[in-house]
Amino acid sequence: MSVTDEFLNDIEGHLLLAATRAEGRTAAERVCEPLHWLPRDRREEVELRFEEEYLTLARASWRRTADRAGELREEYEAAYRALRRRLVAAWLLACAAGIGTLALCLAPGTVAG
């Protein structure tokens, strides 16, 4: 991976994190809106904790998704390797059959039409 790719991945990660924080903040405000009886400082604390929990859950979800993507990649690579081995074996068998047929046709003493 080039330096540019790493840089772009870092930027994308920061943007994703910022967007998730904003979503968490918005969700926290929505949840705390009906709690008008709470003092403002307590509501802000609840909102902050909600936002942190939202971000923690999002990170856990991202980790599970990344882990599953890695598992799927391994499965597909294994299937691809097996398919490639079968294809090479079939190609070698076809070549051997073709060479055998050609050798049989060119062998001395064969009857030619």
Side-chain angles (χ1 to χ4, degrees), residues 29-82:
E29 289 170 359
R30 260 195 330 267
V31 166
C32 290
E33 190 173 316
L35 306 177
H36 52 82
W37 48 270
L38 271 179
R40 185 68 207 156
D41 62 329
R42 303 302 280 164
R43 281 181 67 187
E44 289 173 354
E45 182 181 340
V46 170
E47 287 176 2
L48 180 63
R49 288 181 182 216
F50 186 98
E51 180 184 339
E52 289 172 358
E53 186 62 24
Y54 187 92
L55 189 57
T56 300
L57 292 172
R59 283 183 173 150
S61 176
W62 296 336
R63 175 56 40 211
R64 284 190 305 273
T65 300
D67 290 345
R68 182 62 182 142
E71 291 170 4
L72 286 174
R73 181 181 180 139
E74 290 173 8
E75 290 174 21
Y76 284 120
E77 285 177 349
Y80 175 76
R81 281 190 301 273

Side-chain angles (χ1 to χ4, degrees), residues 99-110:
I99 290 171
T101 302
L102 183 62
L104 188 64
C105 290
L106 297 177
T110 57

